[in-house]
Amino acid sequence: MRHIGPRDHEIQEMLNILGVSTLDELINQTVPENIRLKQPLKLEDGLTERQYFRKILALASKNKVYNTYIGMGYYDTITPAVILRNVLENPVWYTSYTPYQAEISQGRLEALLNFQTMVCELTGMELANAGLLDEATAAAEAMIMMHNSRSRAKAKAGANIVWVDEKVWPQTLDVLMTRANPLGIELKVADWKNFKLDENTFGIIVQYPNSDGQIVDYSSLVKTAHENEIFVSVAADLLSLSILTPPGEWDADIVFGNSQRFGIPMGYGGPHAAFFASKDVFKRTMPGRIIGISKDAFGKRALRMALQTREQHIKREKATSNICTSQALLANMAGFYSVYHGPEGITQIATRIHCIAALLEKEISALGYTQLNTVYFDTIRFALPRYVKREDIEWLSLELEMNFRYFENGEVGLSIDETTNLDDINWIVEVFAKAANKPHGTVTEYPNVCTILPEFLRTSDFMQQEVFNKYRSETEMLRYIKKLEHKDISLTHSMIPLGSCTMKLNAATEMLPLSWIEFNGIHPFVPKNQARGYHEMMEELRRDLAEITGFADVSLQPNSGAAGEYAGLMVIRQYHISRGDDHRDVALIPSSAHGTNPASAVMAGMKVVVTPCDERGNIDVEALRQKAEEFKDTLSCFMVTYPSTHGVYESSITELCEIIHSHGGQVYMDGANMNAQVGLTNPSRIGADVCHLNLHKTFAIPHGGGGPGVGPICVAAHLVEFLPSHPVMNNGHVGITAVSAGPWGSASVLPITYGYIKMLGADGLKRASEIAILNANYIANALKDNYGVLYTGENGRVAHEMILESRHLKAASGISETDISKRLMDYGFHAPTLSFPVHGTLMVEPTESESKQELDRFIEAMNGIYDEIQLVASGQMDKEDNPLKNAPHTSDVVTADEWNHSYSRQTAVFPLTWLKENKYWPPVARVDDAFGDRNLVCTCEPIESYK
Ligand SMILES: Cc1ncc(COP(=O)(O)O)c(C=O)c1O
């Protein structure tokens, strides 16, 4: 497998430059002896791509794809092939990063703006974010946002009750329970008609249509709630809102749900993008990313991520959500689905679904069954006649490769979806007929009868914006997707040197199975014997990840790094509770930690105590000892990233872990930097008890422009019993309630990591870590004189990433780290990580996948920029009018008749000769962030603005 960038002779050249003769020598100088693994990983040898292909094909064939009418938040859907091929299978879309650098992300920003607009239009709300992890966690975010937005009087009175209708999805309820408890929120579950909305209640959550499939008129409930200063959140089926009155029109405050039905395969539970919409008043407390419209330096329309001060990067322990990586790729796809189908197409799909359900009601009722939903969209629910056995329905349907939904009280449910056709209708009827020993006719025509009462039907227009009404032919759609794609930088252009993000190769062979129906066509709640291939793969993956981390077991449920942090901390919390140590609630977190660490700790009900780092960037051992001593009675855990976010292997790590353990605490290791550990050391070896892994960093799952992420947690033996369970499926764990909607999280992307491990094998994985370290040290060595490397280990080496100084350059020239980042775009590169974890610096992580020639190109670009900075510092270039401050330069600017700058057009856009051969053109100039936040616009402009 061709995962490693540099070739053998180049590796030797690089080692020579670093003054060492072998890779082992470099690793010995870099990774402290006391934490090195003494034995190789006990994993199989790496497979060739061909061998792996056979293996994964064999696993795929063990999954059986049935027609599934279970519903419960997951429905079969048709991913338009133009979207499948050009978005899901397209590395420009799946290898790009979260659009923090707006100028090189206009394509995916527009795709996300389409998603937000579609969500606002369908829900009837004013504001929507760019997607959340899943429907259940979106429910939790809604609950927390309502709690944080309580009126002053309610907050003062300590109102802490949220009422939840008993007819929300069981997985939603389970995650709500998980999330409410540590925050002191009291969750009351009842029939919504029996809610007691008193002064202690701050919010309510209902589902529309509810979990039975019944459509309920909640307008009087909303009115009463609002009279009592109580917020209303509604879980909704997005597709149904094209024909049902949207919750925004009956004054709901928050509407959320799953956008999976918009062309995203079920994938055995995920990944899918949740949607989250609200009234405008929540804009400063809304979780997740919000894309807004702003303008560039020349006043041209430009998109960007708005209101970033809401995010955990800035707010840390004051954050109200820990969402970081989310589900951008899936939100892009759902947005494209709505662009392709438009309002009329979506209405048609929804109407057809309803009419098929209505026809089935008629046909099946005629056989003696009683349909129980009086008003429904896609779901019908039958009580069986006395003479029909439920078991008969079950085996007859399985015989025809169909899955129905079986309620605990013996009723049988069917949820119709976009794919249901005439054959399916007849097979369904056949099952009910045979079970009742009755004859049945054949349906030969699609039905056209709507049974929804007029008062529930939508009368308002939606999605009238140009983008939803323009691209109907495949050719046009293809060109629109390509138009957006050409605006962005991804790994298909150049290395993305983002420190802490590990933008490595996402190999094509690893990605292929994602498009196979055997992996993506399976509903998460089908009988497990239909998903044998999945279970075999997941069992093996769990074993391999346990071996890599040195731990006893793994939960695959969390669907991002931050979700993993939360899950791991909740496991620690439960461990303490099980020992009668309920009072242990202090989390010690170093000042260098990623913002999600303190934010997750607060979500898990912990009190954050920040511990300092010394002048070399290491955690101050004495200060930690003191804090551990001070909080010894209440210490819950210590959260540590290793190697540190400063890019250094601290040899004190084992001592730090011992200090925590000796004071009764547990050690949580943030696995974001596992790319510097695999095969060399592991979290168990350094003394941790739990870690999460970012499979979307170290283990080759692509970033997708900001998700999907997968953040499994790995735990030591004493914590296995607390790993998250699932209310619907037995996922092998019996501990805390669920942290995600899916029993196995984002199952359909797990084959990527599985393939990565199987193809690299024990030796290849270790080599990947070694080359990641080599590549980082090669860059550090090349740039240390001009920029300076902020922190190094005891032997002057960096780990797999480094922090480059730029503060002295700013002092001498006025050129900031932001100017450097924007200028890199003119050189065709994505910026390094900016100002994290040290303000005013650039953090660079090359990964093992980048070749020597690419590293050299990056070094040349960085040194070219350094030379330009020197010209500014020495006065040879103007302090304001220079290519750095004016970067990035667009084609508009350099082809304009006028050119009034003190440097040439050539310098502006072709500062190095190789750029002439392969030039990336930023579509907009520098984006005005402040303007966008002051004038918040988060949906596509209305049709009038195009006239
Ligand atoms: C050190 C560290 N911890 C945690 C996270 C959060 O992971 P995620 O974005 O998957 O939620 C990140 C993300 O960049 C990180 O760099």
Side-chain angles (χ1 to χ4, degrees):
M1 194 205 173
R2 303 188 190 208
H3 180 77
I4 306 274
R7 290 184 281 167
D8 287 346
H9 70 274
E10 291 170 332
I11 290 174
Q12 201 50 56
E13 274 172 49
M14 293 160 80
L15 290 168
N16 293 346
I17 289 170
L18 293 177
V20 288
S21 41
T22 63
L23 206 46
D24 275 348
E25 191 180 341
L26 175 67
I27 301 304
N28 288 339
Q29 288 179 6
T30 310
V31 189
E33 178 55 30
N34 64 333
I35 57 163
R36 292 286 294 278
L37 294 182
K38 302 290 176 242
Q39 302 292 332
L41 291 172
K42 289 193 203 67
L43 298 174
E44 290 150 33
D45 291 342
L47 302 176
T48 64
E49 294 191 24
R50 183 84 184 153
Q51 286 167 330
Y52 174 69
F53 195 75
R54 290 225 172 103
K55 185 176 176 77
I56 195 75
L57 205 58
L59 285 175
S61 69
K62 295 184 185 174
N63 291 332
K64 300 287 168 240
V65 185
Y66 285 15
N67 281 351
T68 297
Y69 305 97
I70 294 174
M72 298 183 77
Y74 306 94
Y75 309 85
D76 208 356
T77 177
I78 298 167
T79 313
V82 64
I83 296 174
L84 181 78
R85 171 154 288 201
N86 298 292
V87 184
L88 183 66
E89 296 177 343
N90 178 344
V92 175
W93 288 96
Y94 69 68
T95 70
S96 56
Y97 187 63
T98 308
Y100 280 110
Q101 296 293 333
E103 296 82 359
I104 50 97
S105 312
Q106 290 297 302
R108 50 196 193 273
L109 283 163
E110 180 164 328
L112 290 175
L113 189 76
N114 293 343
F115 175 82
Q116 287 179 184
T117 308
M118 173 268 282
V119 169
C120 284
E121 293 283 309
L122 282 168
T123 56
M125 302 305 284
E126 291 162 326
L127 186 69
N129 70 16
L132 291 177
L133 294 172
D134 59 35
E135 175 162 346
T137 56
E141 298 290 343
M143 171 179 74
I144 295 166
M145 190 164 98
M146 293 192 292
H147 188 243
N148 290 330
S149 308
R150 288 170 299 174
S151 66
R152 201 169 292 169
K154 285 249 173 194
K156 205 161 156 216
N160 71 334
I161 293 174
V162 61
W163 284 93
V164 182
D165 185 37
E166 60 195 9
K167 296 211 160 126
V168 301
W169 304 129
Q171 64 272 24
T172 299
L173 192 54
D174 220 49
V175 172
L176 280 170
M177 286 181 335
T178 312
R179 299 287 296 271
N181 191 299
L183 298 177
I185 293 174
E186 197 180 332
L187 196 88
K188 297 215 180 203
V189 184
D191 180 340
W192 66 274
K193 293 196 201 78
N194 300 329
F195 286 177
K196 295 190 184 53
L197 302 183
D198 57 16
E199 66 284 1
N200 289 323
T201 305
F202 67 84
I204 60 183
I205 301 177
V206 292
Q207 189 174 304
Y208 177 79
N210 72 16
S211 61
D212 282 347
Q214 175 74 30
I215 299 171
V216 175
D217 177 359
Y218 295 114
S219 51
S220 64
L221 175 70
V222 176
K223 194 157 170 286
T224 316
H226 287 168
E227 280 161 9
N228 291 284
E229 291 194 323
I230 292 165
F231 295 118
V232 181
S233 292
V234 180
D237 180 315
L238 199 58
L239 185 59
S240 76
L241 301 185
S242 63
I243 56 173
L244 301 180
T245 313
E249 291 180 19
W250 33 271
D251 209 20
D253 298 289
I254 300 169
V255 187
F256 64 89
N258 193 353
S259 66
Q260 182 262 315
R261 294 192 105 158
F262 282 57
I264 317 299
M266 289 183 287
Y268 208 38
H272 317 127
F275 67 88
F276 191 93
S278 74
K279 290 181 176 166
D280 190 63
V281 291
F282 294 101
K283 68 179 169 222
R284 300 210 177 268
T285 44
M286 181 173 266
R289 278 147 192 170
I290 304 177
I291 309 309
I293 301 174
S294 185
K295 57 179 188 177
D296 76 359
F298 299 97
K300 182 174 169 185
R301 178 184 187 266
L303 307 177
R304 57 184 279 280
M305 293 193 341
L307 301 175
Q308 286 182 40
T309 46
R310 292 169 305 117
E311 295 193 27
Q312 21 67 32
H313 301 293
I314 312 275
K315 296 192 105 173
R316 303 184 71 85
E317 64 270 21
K318 297 204 178 55
T320 45
S321 162
N322 64 346
I323 296 284
C324 185
T325 292
S326 192
Q327 306 280 19
L329 185 68
L330 300 315
N332 287 335
M333 288 176 66
F336 280 128
Y337 178 97
S338 60
V339 165
Y340 198 32
H341 287 301
E344 76 281 2
I346 287 176
T347 308
Q348 205 175 39
I349 292 167
T351 308
R352 186 167 170 278
I353 286 174
H354 170 73
C355 292
I356 292 176
L359 173 83
L360 283 167
E361 173 184 22
K362 191 167 129 253
E363 296 289 326
I364 297 170
S365 300
L367 298 166
Y369 297 82
T370 314
Q371 205 283 116
L372 300 164
N373 288 336
T374 50
V375 194
Y376 55 85
F377 163 55
D378 63 349
T379 299
I380 39 184
R381 186 168 51 99
F382 293 98
L384 311 188
R386 196 181 32 80
Y387 48 86
V388 171
K389 298 272 170 293
R390 181 187 128 149
E391 294 70 32
D392 285 339
I393 295 197
E394 204 162 341
W395 79 258
L396 283 162
S397 59
L398 287 172
E399 199 75 347
L400 287 171
E401 305 201 334
M402 296 190 290
N403 296 303
F404 296 167
R405 178 171 171 202
Y406 300 100
F407 290 82
E408 272 171 21
N409 63 3
E411 291 158 13
V412 177
L414 295 170
S415 292
I416 304 309
D417 61 58
E418 184 190 3
T419 68
T420 312
N421 61 30
L422 280 180
D423 285 340
D424 302 330
I425 295 171
N426 284 311
W427 285 329
I428 293 170
V429 176
E430 183 179 324
V431 167
F432 282 88
K434 279 191 174 162
N437 293 313
K438 297 220 169 137
H440 68 97
T442 304
V443 178
T444 53
E445 248 181 84
Y446 280 107
N448 193 14
V449 180
C450 172
T451 66
I452 303 173
L453 299 173
E455 60 262 37
F456 291 103
L457 287 176
R458 179 167 192 147
T459 52
S460 54
D461 283 343
F462 60 94
M463 286 168 40
Q464 296 302 301
Q465 292 83 353
E466 186 182 44
V467 71
F468 301 114
N469 293 282
K470 203 172 168 185
Y471 307 106
R472 289 294 176 271
S473 73
E474 181 170 330
T475 308
E476 284 299 334
M477 189 64 199
L478 170 68
R479 289 184 188 146
Y480 177 58
I481 294 172
K482 289 284 164 193
K483 179 177 120 182
L484 297 194
E485 165 184 330
H486 291 149
K487 296 182 180 195
D488 287 8
I489 282 189
S490 69
L491 280 178
T492 63
H493 296 90
S494 47
M495 68 184 277
I496 300 188
L498 282 163
S500 205
C501 299
T502 317
M503 302 294 290
K504 64 166 62 170
L505 170 75
N506 317 116
T509 306
E510 291 154 8
M511 296 296 294
L512 286 175
L514 233 75
S515 309
W516 298 350
I517 192 164
E518 292 86 350
F519 282 112
N520 70 26
I522 301 190
H523 189 290
F525 302 159
V526 299
K528 279 193 189 162
N529 61 7
Q530 292 172 28
R532 281 189 212 280
Y534 255 119
H535 287 281
E536 218 174 282
M537 187 263 298
M538 291 195 293
E539 280 304 307
E540 236 182 292
L541 182 60
R542 271 168 57 192
R543 263 203 316 273
D544 289 353
L545 294 177
E547 169 66 18
I548 288 167
T549 54
F551 283 131
D553 202 357
V554 176
S555 162
L556 298 169
Q557 210 181 60
N559 39 23
S560 74
E565 291 167 22
Y566 177 78
L569 293 174
M570 289 298 285
V571 164
I572 291 176
R573 178 176 180 271
Q574 200 58 36
Y575 165 77
H576 287 309
I577 291 173
S578 76
R579 292 157 54 95
D581 284 342
D582 312 37
H583 52 282
R584 288 196 171 271
D585 64 354
V586 168
L588 298 181
I589 301 182
S591 56
S592 58
H594 192 259
T596 50
N597 287 191
S600 300
V602 170
M603 297 292 118
M606 296 186 184
K607 298 192 182 82
V608 174
V609 174
V610 179
T611 65
C613 294
D614 64 21
E615 70 290 347
R616 298 194 58 197
N618 295 325
I619 293 169
D620 183 331
V621 180
E622 284 321 307
L624 185 88
R625 196 189 305 280
Q626 251 176 34
K627 292 280 185 215
E629 180 64 34
E630 183 183 340
F631 293 100
K632 66 176 187 301
D633 295 331
T634 52
L635 181 62
S636 172
C637 65
F638 170 50
M639 287 186 92
V640 63
T641 306
Y642 198 77
S644 73
T645 51
H646 289 157
V648 183
Y649 292 93
E650 294 155 287
S651 47
S652 58
I653 186 70
T654 48
E655 189 184 351
L656 297 173
C657 294
E658 276 160 25
I659 293 172
I660 299 303
H661 286 142
S662 67
H663 291 91
Q666 294 280 291
V667 176
Y668 181 95
M669 198 205 81
D670 179 326
N673 291 345
M674 268 307 279
N675 214 41
Q677 286 198 34
V678 180
L680 300 174
T681 180
N682 70 38
S684 169
R685 180 97 176 87
I686 66 167
D689 302 284
V690 195
C691 76
H692 79 258
L693 300 174
N694 298 66
L695 299 191
H696 49 296
K697 297 183 181 193
T698 312
F699 295 94
I701 291 182
H703 277 69
V710 181
I713 51 169
C714 313
V715 298
H718 63 286
L719 297 175
V720 172
E721 63 183 293
F722 307 111
L723 286 174
S725 58
H726 193 270
V728 183
M729 298 300 286
N730 172 1
N731 69 352
H733 298 299
V734 294
I736 59 172
T737 41
V739 295
S740 305
W744 303 276
S746 295
S748 71
V749 291
L750 294 176
I752 302 171
T753 295
Y754 181 75
Y756 176 77
I757 294 174
K758 293 298 163 202
M759 285 188 276
L760 284 185
D763 291 346
L765 289 170
K766 179 165 174 251
R767 185 144 179 102
S769 307
E770 290 170 344
I771 302 297
I773 292 168
L774 172 67
N775 279 0
N777 278 284
Y778 181 74
I779 291 186
N781 181 67
L783 297 178
K784 69 176 185 309
D785 294 336
N786 285 347
Y787 288 87
V789 174
L790 191 54
Y791 301 118
T792 54
E794 280 152 25
N795 299 315
R797 301 294 181 197
V798 297
H800 66 312
E801 62 189 4
M802 82 225 67
I803 299 179
L804 292 180
E805 255 303 2
S806 63
R807 291 172 292 190
H808 59 298
L809 300 176
K810 186 174 179 187
S813 64
I815 300 300
S816 69
E817 70 283 4
T818 302
D819 298 326
I820 297 174
S821 300
K822 304 299 175 193
R823 184 61 176 152
L824 268 171
M825 298 171 183
D826 286 333
Y827 284 79
F829 284 104
H830 192 291
T833 299
L834 220 61
S835 285
F836 169 75
V838 180
H839 200 72
T841 63
L842 302 159
M843 184 159 52
V844 174
E845 179 183 2
T847 85
E848 70 280 6
S849 304
E850 294 305 337
S851 64
K852 179 171 177 295
Q853 68 209 37
E854 184 67 358
L855 302 183
D856 287 337
R857 264 185 3 104
F858 177 67
I859 290 165
E860 206 185 338
M862 288 299 284
N863 283 333
I865 290 175
Y866 174 80
D867 291 342
E868 291 172 352
I869 297 174
Q870 293 315 303
L871 294 177
V872 178
S874 65
Q876 287 165 270
M877 262 195 192
D878 191 85
K879 284 239 168 318
E880 289 309 317
D881 183 33
N882 60 58
L884 296 133
K885 287 271 174 222
N886 292 337
H889 296 83
T890 62
S891 57
D892 274 1
V893 166
V894 286
T895 56
D897 292 338
E898 253 184 87
W899 180 261
N900 295 323
H901 299 292
S902 56
Y903 53 97
S904 70
R905 289 177 153 106
Q906 178 86 8
T907 304
V909 294
F910 296 125
L912 291 172
T913 46
W914 42 257
L915 283 164
K916 293 204 170 151
E917 197 189 303
N918 187 10
K919 173 70 185 166
Y920 165 79
W921 290 99
V924 295
R926 201 172 296 193
V927 175
D928 186 339
D929 287 329
F931 178 84
D933 278 353
R934 273 198 315 272
N935 306 281
L936 192 67
V937 181
C938 301
T939 52
C940 302
E941 293 86 340
I943 189 83
E944 302 81 58
S945 68
Y946 293 93
K947 288 183 178 151

